[in-house]
Amino acid sequence: MTCCDISATTKPPSIAKVTALSVYEEFFLQGDEELAIDESSKIPEMMNRHACNIPNQQIGFINFIANTAYKNLVAFFPQLKRLIFIDLFISLITL
């Protein structure tokens, strides 16, 4: 995974939301397929359309995945710090 792969978290909230919902629909389809094969399957919450709390999942993703990736990117390119982290903060407060 690269910062490019998760860049939607730094886009305006309307774009970030559409992207996130698209990704979750893909996750849910995977979960649906796994349940169709074996109804007793334990699927992760993010793949369970009936149990997933998308805002909470997104907060966790931004805090632990995106934030870590961007901190590492900023270590190499310090001039990006203000741009990246302001956008991440806006994404978090608009969930």
Coordinates of all heavy atoms in Angstrom, one line a residue:
M1 N 0.8 -1.2 0.0 CA 0.0 0.0 0.0 C 0.9 1.2 0.0 O 1.9 1.3 0.7 CB -0.9 0.0 1.2 CG -1.8 1.1 1.3 SD -2.9 1.2 2.8 CE -3.6 -0.4 2.8
T2 N 0.5 2.2 -0.8 CA 1.2 3.4 -0.9 C 0.4 4.6 -0.5 O -0.9 4.5 -0.4 CB 1.8 3.7 -2.3 OG1 0.6 4.0 -3.2 CG2 2.5 2.5 -2.9
C3 N 1.0 5.8 -0.2 CA 0.2 6.9 0.1 C -0.8 7.3 -1.1 O -1.9 7.8 -0.8 CB 1.1 8.1 0.4 SG 1.9 7.9 2.0
C4 N -0.4 7.0 -2.3 CA -1.3 7.2 -3.4 C -2.5 6.3 -3.3 O -3.6 6.8 -3.6 CB -0.5 6.8 -4.7 SG -0.4 8.1 -5.8
D5 N -2.4 5.1 -2.9 CA -3.5 4.2 -2.7 C -4.5 4.7 -1.7 O -5.7 4.4 -1.9 CB -3.0 2.8 -2.3 CG -2.1 2.1 -3.3 OD1 -2.3 2.3 -4.5 OD2 -1.3 1.3 -2.8
I6 N -4.1 5.4 -0.8 CA -5.0 5.9 0.3 C -5.3 7.4 0.2 O -5.7 8.0 1.2 CB -4.5 5.5 1.7 CG1 -3.1 6.1 2.0 CG2 -4.5 4.0 1.8 CD1 -2.6 5.8 3.4
S7 N -5.0 8.0 -0.9 CA -5.0 9.5 -1.0 C -6.4 10.1 -0.9 O -6.5 11.3 -0.7 CB -4.4 9.9 -2.3 OG -5.1 9.5 -3.4
A8 N -7.4 9.3 -1.0 CA -8.8 9.8 -0.9 C -9.0 10.4 0.5 O -9.8 11.3 0.6 CB -9.8 8.8 -1.2
T9 N -8.3 10.0 1.5 CA -8.4 10.5 2.8 C -8.0 12.0 2.9 O -8.3 12.7 3.8 CB -7.6 9.7 3.8 OG1 -6.2 9.7 3.5 CG2 -8.1 8.3 4.0
T10 N -7.2 12.5 1.9 CA -6.8 13.9 1.9 C -7.6 14.7 0.9 O -7.3 15.9 0.7 CB -5.3 14.0 1.5 OG1 -5.1 13.5 0.2 CG2 -4.4 13.2 2.5
K11 N -8.6 14.2 0.3 CA -9.4 14.9 -0.7 C -10.5 15.6 0.1 O -10.8 15.3 1.2 CB -10.0 13.9 -1.7 CG -9.0 13.1 -2.5 CD -8.2 13.9 -3.5 CE -7.4 13.0 -4.3 NZ -6.0 13.4 -4.4
P12 N -11.2 16.5 -0.6 CA -12.4 17.1 0.0 C -13.4 16.1 0.5 O -13.5 15.0 -0.1 CB -13.0 18.0 -1.1 CG -11.9 18.3 -2.0 CD -11.0 17.0 -1.9
P13 N -14.1 16.4 1.6 CA -15.0 15.3 2.2 C -16.0 14.7 1.2 O -16.2 13.5 1.3 CB -15.7 16.1 3.3 CG -14.8 17.2 3.7 CD -14.1 17.6 2.4
S14 N -16.5 15.5 0.3 CA -17.5 14.9 -0.7 C -16.8 13.8 -1.5 O -17.4 12.8 -1.8 CB -18.1 15.9 -1.5 OG -17.1 16.6 -2.3
I15 N -15.6 14.0 -1.9 CA -14.8 13.0 -2.7 C -14.4 11.8 -1.8 O -14.6 10.6 -2.2 CB -13.6 13.6 -3.4 CG1 -14.1 14.6 -4.4 CG2 -12.7 12.5 -4.0 CD1 -13.0 15.5 -5.0
A16 N -13.9 12.1 -0.6 CA -13.5 11.1 0.3 C -14.6 10.1 0.7 O -14.5 8.9 0.7 CB -12.9 11.7 1.6
K17 N -15.8 10.7 0.9 CA -17.0 9.9 1.2 C -17.4 8.9 0.1 O -17.6 7.7 0.3 CB -18.2 10.8 1.6 CG -19.4 10.0 2.1 CD -20.5 10.9 2.5 CE -21.7 10.1 3.0 NZ -22.7 11.0 3.5
V18 N -17.4 9.4 -1.1 CA -17.8 8.6 -2.3 C -16.8 7.5 -2.4 O -17.2 6.3 -2.7 CB -17.9 9.5 -3.6 CG1 -18.0 8.6 -4.8 CG2 -19.1 10.4 -3.5
T19 N -15.5 7.8 -2.3 CA -14.5 6.8 -2.4 C -14.6 5.7 -1.3 O -14.6 4.5 -1.6 CB -13.1 7.4 -2.4 OG1 -13.0 8.4 -3.4 CG2 -12.0 6.4 -2.6
A20 N -14.8 6.2 -0.1 CA -14.9 5.2 1.0 C -16.1 4.3 0.8 O -16.0 3.1 1.0 CB -15.1 6.0 2.3
L21 N -17.3 4.9 0.4 CA -18.5 4.0 0.2 C -18.3 3.0 -0.9 O -18.7 1.9 -0.8 CB -19.7 4.9 -0.1 CG -20.1 5.8 1.1 CD1 -21.3 6.7 0.7 CD2 -20.5 4.9 2.3
S22 N -17.5 3.4 -1.9 CA -17.2 2.5 -3.0 C -16.3 1.4 -2.5 O -16.6 0.2 -2.9 CB -16.5 3.3 -4.2 OG -16.1 2.4 -5.2
V23 N -15.3 1.7 -1.7 CA -14.5 0.6 -1.2 C -15.2 -0.3 -0.3 O -15.1 -1.5 -0.4 CB -13.3 1.3 -0.4 CG1 -12.5 0.2 0.4 CG2 -12.4 2.0 -1.4
Y24 N -16.1 0.3 0.6 CA -16.9 -0.6 1.5 C -17.9 -1.5 0.7 O -18.1 -2.6 1.1 CB -17.6 0.2 2.5 CG -16.7 0.5 3.7 CD1 -16.0 1.7 3.8 CD2 -16.4 -0.4 4.6 CE1 -15.1 2.0 4.8 CE2 -15.5 -0.2 5.6 CZ -14.9 1.0 5.7 OH -14.0 1.2 6.7
E25 N -18.4 -1.0 -0.4 CA -19.3 -1.8 -1.2 C -18.5 -3.0 -1.7 O -19.0 -4.2 -1.8 CB -19.9 -1.0 -2.4 CG -20.9 -1.9 -3.2 CD -22.1 -2.5 -2.4 OE1 -22.5 -1.9 -1.3 OE2 -22.5 -3.6 -2.8
E26 N -17.3 -2.8 -2.1 CA -16.4 -3.9 -2.6 C -16.2 -4.9 -1.4 O -16.3 -6.1 -1.6 CB -15.1 -3.4 -3.1 CG -14.2 -4.4 -3.8 CD -13.0 -3.8 -4.3 OE1 -13.0 -2.6 -4.8 OE2 -11.9 -4.5 -4.3
F27 N -15.9 -4.4 -0.2 CA -15.7 -5.2 0.9 C -17.0 -6.0 1.2 O -16.9 -7.2 1.5 CB -15.4 -4.4 2.2 CG -14.0 -3.8 2.2 CD1 -13.8 -2.8 3.1 CD2 -13.0 -4.2 1.3 CE1 -12.5 -2.2 3.2 CE2 -11.8 -3.6 1.4 CZ -11.5 -2.6 2.3
F28 N -18.2 -5.4 1.2 CA -19.4 -6.0 1.5 C -19.7 -7.1 0.4 O -20.2 -8.2 0.8 CB -20.6 -5.0 1.5 CG -20.5 -4.0 2.6 CD1 -21.1 -2.8 2.5 CD2 -19.8 -4.3 3.8 CE1 -21.1 -1.8 3.5 CE2 -19.7 -3.3 4.8 CZ -20.3 -2.1 4.6
L29 N -19.4 -6.9 -0.8 CA -19.6 -7.9 -1.8 C -18.8 -9.2 -1.5 O -19.2 -10.3 -1.7 CB -19.3 -7.4 -3.2 CG -20.3 -6.4 -3.8 CD1 -19.8 -5.7 -5.1 CD2 -21.7 -7.0 -4.0
Q30 N -17.5 -8.9 -1.1 CA -16.6 -10.0 -0.7 C -17.2 -10.8 0.4 O -17.3 -12.0 0.5 CB -15.2 -9.5 -0.4 CG -14.3 -10.6 0.1 CD -13.9 -11.6 -1.0 OE1 -13.8 -11.2 -2.1 NE2 -13.7 -12.8 -0.6
G31 N -17.7 -10.0 1.4 CA -18.3 -10.7 2.6 C -19.6 -11.5 2.2 O -19.8 -12.6 2.7
D32 N -20.4 -10.9 1.3 CA -21.6 -11.6 0.8 C -21.2 -12.9 0.2 O -21.8 -14.0 0.4 CB -22.4 -10.7 -0.2 CG -23.0 -9.5 0.5 OD1 -23.0 -9.4 1.7 OD2 -23.3 -8.6 -0.3
E33 N -20.1 -12.9 -0.7 CA -19.7 -14.1 -1.4 C -19.2 -15.2 -0.4 O -19.5 -16.3 -0.5 CB -18.6 -13.8 -2.3 CG -19.1 -13.1 -3.6 CD -18.0 -12.8 -4.6 OE1 -17.0 -13.6 -4.6 OE2 -18.1 -11.9 -5.4
E34 N -18.5 -14.7 0.6 CA -18.0 -15.7 1.6 C -19.1 -16.3 2.4 O -19.1 -17.5 2.7 CB -17.0 -15.0 2.6 CG -15.7 -14.7 1.9 CD -14.6 -14.0 2.7 OE1 -14.7 -14.2 4.0 OE2 -13.7 -13.4 2.2
L35 N -20.1 -15.5 2.7 CA -21.3 -16.0 3.5 C -22.1 -17.0 2.6 O -22.7 -17.9 3.1 CB -22.2 -14.9 4.0 CG -21.6 -14.2 5.2 CD1 -22.5 -13.0 5.6 CD2 -21.5 -15.1 6.4
A36 N -22.2 -16.7 1.3 CA -22.9 -17.5 0.3 C -22.3 -18.9 0.3 O -23.0 -19.9 0.1 CB -23.0 -16.9 -1.0
I37 N -21.0 -19.0 0.4 CA -20.3 -20.2 0.4 C -20.4 -21.0 1.7 O -20.7 -22.2 1.7 CB -18.8 -20.0 0.1 CG1 -18.6 -19.5 -1.4 CG2 -17.9 -21.3 0.3 CD1 -17.2 -18.9 -1.6
D38 N -20.4 -20.3 2.8 CA -20.5 -20.9 4.1 C -21.1 -19.9 5.1 O -20.5 -19.0 5.5 CB -19.1 -21.3 4.6 CG -19.1 -22.0 6.0 OD1 -20.3 -22.2 6.5 OD2 -18.1 -22.3 6.5
E39 N -22.4 -20.1 5.3 CA -23.2 -19.2 6.2 C -22.6 -19.1 7.6 O -22.9 -18.1 8.3 CB -24.7 -19.6 6.3 CG -25.4 -19.4 5.0 CD -26.9 -19.8 5.1 OE1 -27.4 -20.0 6.3 OE2 -27.5 -19.9 4.1
S40 N -21.8 -20.0 8.0 CA -21.3 -20.0 9.4 C -19.9 -19.3 9.4 O -19.3 -19.2 10.5 CB -21.1 -21.4 10.0 OG -20.2 -22.1 9.2
S41 N -19.5 -18.8 8.3 CA -18.2 -18.0 8.2 C -18.2 -16.8 9.1 O -19.2 -16.1 9.3 CB -17.9 -17.5 6.8 OG -17.6 -18.5 5.9
K42 N -17.1 -16.6 9.8 CA -16.8 -15.4 10.6 C -16.1 -14.5 9.6 O -15.0 -14.6 9.3 CB -15.9 -15.7 11.8 CG -16.6 -16.3 13.0 CD -17.5 -15.3 13.6 CE -17.0 -14.9 15.0 NZ -17.9 -14.0 15.6
I43 N -16.9 -13.4 9.2 CA -16.2 -12.5 8.3 C -15.9 -11.2 9.1 O -16.6 -10.9 10.1 CB -17.1 -12.1 7.1 CG1 -18.5 -11.6 7.5 CG2 -17.3 -13.3 6.2 CD1 -19.3 -11.0 6.4
P44 N -14.9 -10.5 8.7 CA -14.5 -9.3 9.5 C -15.7 -8.3 9.4 O -16.4 -8.2 8.4 CB -13.3 -8.7 8.7 CG -12.8 -9.9 7.9 CD -14.0 -10.8 7.6
E45 N -15.8 -7.4 10.4 CA -16.8 -6.4 10.5 C -16.8 -5.5 9.3 O -17.9 -5.2 8.7 CB -16.6 -5.5 11.7 CG -17.7 -4.5 11.9 CD -17.5 -3.5 13.1 OE1 -16.8 -3.9 14.0 OE2 -18.0 -2.4 13.0
M46 N -15.6 -5.2 8.7 CA -15.6 -4.3 7.6 C -16.1 -4.9 6.3 O -16.4 -4.2 5.3 CB -14.2 -3.8 7.3 CG -13.2 -4.8 6.9 SD -11.6 -4.1 6.7 CE -10.9 -5.1 5.5
M47 N -16.4 -6.3 6.3 CA -16.9 -6.9 5.2 C -18.4 -7.4 5.4 O -19.0 -8.0 4.6 CB -16.1 -8.2 4.9 CG -14.8 -7.9 4.3 SD -13.9 -9.4 3.9 CE -12.5 -8.8 3.1
N48 N -18.9 -7.0 6.6 CA -20.3 -7.4 7.0 C -21.2 -6.2 6.9 O -21.2 -5.3 7.7 CB -20.3 -7.9 8.4 CG -21.6 -8.5 8.8 OD1 -22.7 -8.1 8.3 ND2 -21.6 -9.4 9.7
R49 N -22.0 -6.1 5.8 CA -22.8 -5.0 5.6 C -23.9 -4.7 6.7 O -24.4 -3.7 6.8 CB -23.5 -5.0 4.2 CG -24.5 -6.1 4.0 CD -25.2 -6.0 2.6 NE -24.3 -6.4 1.5 CZ -23.9 -5.5 0.6 NH1 -24.3 -4.2 0.6 NH2 -23.1 -5.9 -0.4
H50 N -24.1 -5.8 7.5 CA -25.1 -5.7 8.5 C -24.5 -5.2 9.9 O -25.2 -4.8 10.8 CB -25.9 -7.0 8.7 CG -26.5 -7.5 7.4 ND1 -27.5 -6.8 6.8 CD2 -26.1 -8.5 6.6 CE1 -27.8 -7.5 5.6 NE2 -27.0 -8.5 5.5
A51 N -23.2 -5.3 10.0 CA -22.6 -5.0 11.3 C -21.6 -3.9 11.2 O -21.2 -3.3 12.2 CB -21.9 -6.3 11.8
C52 N -21.2 -3.5 10.0 CA -20.1 -2.5 9.8 C -20.6 -1.1 10.2 O -21.7 -0.7 9.8 CB -19.7 -2.5 8.4 SG -18.3 -1.4 8.1
N53 N -19.8 -0.4 11.0 CA -20.0 1.0 11.3 C -19.0 1.8 10.5 O -17.9 1.9 10.9 CB -19.9 1.2 12.8 CG -20.2 2.7 13.2 OD1 -19.8 3.6 12.5 ND2 -20.9 2.8 14.3
I54 N -19.4 2.2 9.3 CA -18.4 2.9 8.4 C -17.7 4.1 9.0 O -16.5 4.2 8.9 CB -19.1 3.2 7.0 CG1 -19.5 1.9 6.3 CG2 -18.2 4.0 6.2 CD1 -20.2 2.1 5.0
P55 N -18.4 5.0 9.7 CA -17.7 6.1 10.3 C -16.6 5.7 11.3 O -15.5 6.2 11.2 CB -18.8 7.0 10.9 CG -20.0 6.6 10.1 CD -19.9 5.2 9.8
N56 N -16.9 4.7 12.1 CA -15.9 4.2 13.1 C -14.8 3.5 12.3 O -13.6 3.7 12.7 CB -16.5 3.3 14.1 CG -17.3 4.0 15.1 OD1 -17.2 5.2 15.3 ND2 -18.1 3.3 15.9
Q57 N -15.1 2.8 11.3 CA -14.0 2.1 10.5 C -13.1 3.1 9.9 O -11.9 3.0 9.8 CB -14.7 1.2 9.4 CG -15.4 0.0 10.0 CD -14.4 -1.1 10.3 OE1 -13.4 -1.3 9.7 NE2 -14.8 -1.9 11.4
Q58 N -13.7 4.2 9.3 CA -13.0 5.2 8.7 C -12.1 6.0 9.7 O -10.9 6.3 9.3 CB -13.9 6.2 7.9 CG -14.4 5.7 6.6 CD -13.3 5.4 5.7 OE1 -12.9 4.3 5.5 NE2 -12.7 6.4 5.1
I59 N -12.6 6.3 10.8 CA -11.8 6.9 11.9 C -10.5 6.1 12.2 O -9.4 6.5 12.3 CB -12.6 7.2 13.1 CG1 -13.6 8.4 12.8 CG2 -11.7 7.6 14.3 CD1 -14.6 8.6 13.9
G60 N -10.8 4.8 12.4 CA -9.7 3.9 12.7 C -8.7 3.8 11.5 O -7.5 3.8 11.7
F61 N -9.2 3.8 10.3 CA -8.3 3.7 9.1 C -7.5 5.0 9.0 O -6.2 4.9 8.8 CB -9.2 3.5 7.8 CG -8.3 3.6 6.6 CD1 -7.6 2.4 6.2 CD2 -8.3 4.7 5.8 CE1 -6.9 2.5 5.0 CE2 -7.5 4.7 4.7 CZ -6.8 3.6 4.3
I62 N -8.1 6.1 9.2 CA -7.3 7.4 9.1 C -6.3 7.5 10.2 O -5.2 7.8 10.0 CB -8.3 8.6 9.1 CG1 -9.1 8.6 7.8 CG2 -7.5 9.9 9.4 CD1 -10.2 9.6 7.8
N63 N -6.7 7.1 11.5 CA -5.8 7.3 12.6 C -4.6 6.3 12.5 O -3.5 6.7 12.9 CB -6.6 7.0 13.9 CG -7.4 8.2 14.3 OD1 -7.1 9.3 14.0 ND2 -8.4 8.0 15.2
F64 N -4.9 5.1 12.1 CA -3.8 4.1 12.2 C -3.1 3.8 10.9 O -1.9 3.5 10.9 CB -4.4 2.8 12.9 CG -4.9 3.0 14.3 CD1 -6.2 3.0 14.5 CD2 -4.0 3.3 15.3 CE1 -6.7 3.3 15.8 CE2 -4.5 3.6 16.6 CZ -5.8 3.5 16.8
I65 N -3.8 3.8 9.8 CA -3.2 3.5 8.5 C -2.7 4.8 7.8 O -1.5 4.9 7.6 CB -4.1 2.7 7.6 CG1 -4.6 1.4 8.3 CG2 -3.4 2.3 6.3 CD1 -3.6 0.4 8.7
A66 N -3.7 5.6 7.5 CA -3.3 6.8 6.7 C -2.3 7.7 7.5 O -1.3 8.2 6.9 CB -4.6 7.6 6.4
N67 N -2.6 8.0 8.7 CA -1.8 8.8 9.5 C -0.3 8.3 9.6 O 0.6 9.1 9.4 CB -2.3 9.0 10.9 CG -1.7 10.1 11.7 OD1 -1.3 11.1 11.1 ND2 -1.6 10.0 13.0
T68 N -0.2 7.0 9.8 CA 1.2 6.4 9.8 C 1.9 6.5 8.5 O 3.0 6.9 8.4 CB 1.0 4.9 10.3 OG1 0.4 4.9 11.5 CG2 2.4 4.3 10.3
A69 N 1.1 6.2 7.4 CA 1.7 6.3 6.1 C 2.2 7.7 5.8 O 3.3 7.9 5.3 CB 0.7 5.8 5.0
Y70 N 1.3 8.7 6.1 CA 1.7 10.1 5.8 C 2.8 10.6 6.7 O 3.6 11.4 6.2 CB 0.4 11.0 5.8 CG -0.5 10.7 4.7 CD1 -1.8 10.4 4.9 CD2 0.0 10.6 3.4 CE1 -2.7 10.1 3.8 CE2 -0.9 10.3 2.3 CZ -2.2 10.1 2.6 OH -3.0 9.8 1.5
K71 N 2.9 10.2 7.9 CA 4.0 10.6 8.8 C 5.3 10.1 8.2 O 6.3 10.8 8.2 CB 3.8 10.0 10.2 CG 2.9 10.7 11.1 CD 2.8 10.1 12.4 CE 1.9 10.9 13.3 NZ 1.7 10.2 14.7
N72 N 5.3 8.9 7.6 CA 6.5 8.4 7.0 C 6.8 9.2 5.7 O 8.0 9.4 5.4 CB 6.4 6.9 6.7 CG 6.5 6.1 7.9 OD1 7.3 6.3 8.8 ND2 5.6 5.1 8.1
L73 N 5.8 9.5 5.0 CA 6.0 10.3 3.8 C 6.6 11.7 4.1 O 7.6 12.2 3.5 CB 4.7 10.5 3.0 CG 4.8 11.3 1.7 CD1 5.7 10.6 0.6 CD2 3.4 11.6 1.1
V74 N 6.1 12.3 5.2 CA 6.5 13.6 5.6 C 8.0 13.6 6.1 O 8.7 14.6 6.0 CB 5.6 14.2 6.6 CG1 6.2 15.4 7.3 CG2 4.3 14.6 5.9
A75 N 8.4 12.4 6.6 CA 9.8 12.3 7.1 C 10.7 12.5 5.9 O 11.8 13.0 6.1 CB 10.0 10.9 7.7
F76 N 10.3 12.1 4.7 CA 11.2 12.3 3.5 C 10.9 13.6 2.8 O 11.8 14.2 2.2 CB 10.9 11.2 2.5 CG 11.5 9.8 3.0 CD1 10.6 8.9 3.6 CD2 12.8 9.6 2.9 CE1 11.1 7.7 4.1 CE2 13.3 8.4 3.4 CZ 12.5 7.4 3.9
F77 N 9.7 14.1 2.9 CA 9.3 15.4 2.3 C 8.6 16.3 3.3 O 7.4 16.5 3.2 CB 8.4 15.1 1.1 CG 9.0 14.2 0.1 CD1 8.6 12.8 0.0 CD2 9.9 14.6 -0.9 CE1 9.1 12.0 -0.9 CE2 10.4 13.8 -1.8 CZ 10.1 12.5 -1.8
P78 N 9.4 16.9 4.2 CA 8.8 17.8 5.2 C 7.9 18.9 4.7 O 6.9 19.3 5.4 CB 10.0 18.4 5.9 CG 11.2 17.6 5.5 CD 10.8 16.9 4.2
Q79 N 8.1 19.4 3.5 CA 7.3 20.4 3.0 C 5.8 20.0 2.8 O 4.9 20.9 2.6 CB 7.9 21.0 1.7 CG 7.9 20.0 0.5 CD 9.1 19.1 0.5 OE1 9.8 18.9 1.5 NE2 9.4 18.6 -0.7
L80 N 5.5 18.7 2.8 CA 4.1 18.2 2.7 C 3.3 18.2 3.9 O 2.1 18.1 3.9 CB 4.2 16.8 2.1 CG 4.7 16.7 0.7 CD1 4.8 15.2 0.3 CD2 4.0 17.5 -0.3
K81 N 4.0 18.4 5.1 CA 3.3 18.2 6.4 C 2.0 19.0 6.5 O 1.0 18.5 6.8 CB 4.3 18.6 7.5 CG 3.7 18.4 8.9 CD 4.8 18.7 9.9 CE 4.2 18.3 11.3 NZ 5.2 18.5 12.3
R82 N 2.1 20.3 6.3 CA 0.9 21.2 6.5 C -0.2 20.7 5.6 O -1.3 20.6 6.0 CB 1.3 22.6 6.3 CG 0.2 23.6 6.5 CD 0.6 25.0 6.3 NE -0.5 25.9 6.2 CZ -1.1 26.6 7.2 NH1 -0.5 26.5 8.4 NH2 -2.1 27.3 7.0
L83 N 0.1 20.5 4.3 CA -0.9 20.2 3.3 C -1.6 18.9 3.7 O -2.8 18.8 3.7 CB -0.2 20.1 1.9 CG -1.1 19.5 0.8 CD1 -2.2 20.6 0.5 CD2 -0.3 19.2 -0.4
I84 N -0.8 17.8 4.0 CA -1.4 16.5 4.2 C -2.2 16.5 5.5 O -3.3 16.0 5.6 CB -0.3 15.4 4.3 CG1 0.3 15.2 2.8 CG2 -0.8 14.1 4.8 CD1 1.5 14.3 2.8
F85 N -1.6 17.0 6.6 CA -2.3 16.8 7.9 C -3.5 17.7 8.1 O -4.4 17.4 8.8 CB -1.3 16.9 9.0 CG -0.4 15.7 9.0 CD1 0.9 15.7 8.6 CD2 -0.9 14.4 9.4 CE1 1.7 14.5 8.6 CE2 -0.2 13.3 9.4 CZ 1.1 13.3 9.0
I86 N -3.5 18.9 7.4 CA -4.7 19.7 7.5 C -5.9 18.9 6.8 O -7.0 18.9 7.3 CB -4.5 21.1 6.8 CG1 -3.6 21.9 7.8 CG2 -5.8 21.8 6.5 CD1 -3.2 23.2 7.2
D87 N -5.6 18.3 5.6 CA -6.6 17.6 4.9 C -7.1 16.4 5.7 O -8.3 16.1 5.7 CB -6.1 17.2 3.5 CG -6.0 18.4 2.6 OD1 -6.6 19.4 2.8 OD2 -5.2 18.3 1.6
L88 N -6.2 15.7 6.3 CA -6.6 14.5 7.2 C -7.5 15.0 8.3 O -8.5 14.3 8.6 CB -5.4 13.8 7.7 CG -4.7 12.8 6.8 CD1 -3.5 12.2 7.6 CD2 -5.6 11.7 6.4
F89 N -7.1 16.1 9.0 CA -8.0 16.6 10.0 C -9.4 17.0 9.6 O -10.3 16.6 10.2 CB -7.3 17.8 10.7 CG -8.1 18.4 11.7 CD1 -8.2 17.8 13.0 CD2 -8.7 19.6 11.5 CE1 -9.0 18.4 14.0 CE2 -9.5 20.2 12.5 CZ -9.6 19.6 13.8
I90 N -9.4 17.6 8.4 CA -10.8 18.0 7.8 C -11.6 16.7 7.6 O -12.8 16.6 7.8 CB -10.6 18.8 6.6 CG1 -10.1 20.2 7.0 CG2 -11.9 18.9 5.8 CD1 -9.6 21.0 5.8
S91 N -10.9 15.6 7.1 CA -11.6 14.4 6.8 C -12.2 13.8 8.1 O -13.3 13.3 8.1 CB -10.7 13.3 6.2 OG -10.4 13.7 4.9
L92 N -11.4 13.9 9.2 CA -11.9 13.3 10.5 C -13.0 14.1 11.0 O -14.0 13.5 11.5 CB -10.7 13.3 11.5 CG -9.8 12.1 11.4 CD1 -8.6 12.3 12.3 CD2 -10.5 10.8 11.7
I93 N -13.0 15.4 11.0 CA -14.1 16.2 11.6 C -15.3 16.3 10.8 O -16.4 16.7 11.3 CB -13.6 17.7 12.0 CG1 -13.2 18.4 10.7 CG2 -12.4 17.6 12.9 CD1 -13.0 19.9 11.0
T94 N -15.3 15.8 9.6 CA -16.5 15.8 8.7 C -17.1 14.5 8.6 O -18.1 14.3 7.8 CB -16.2 16.4 7.3 OG1 -15.2 15.6 6.7 CG2 -15.8 17.9 7.4
L95 N -16.7 13.5 9.3 CA -17.3 12.1 9.2 C -18.6 12.1 9.8 O -19.0 12.8 10.8 CB -16.4 11.1 9.9 CG -15.1 10.7 9.2 CD1 -14.3 9.8 10.0 CD2 -15.5 10.0 7.9

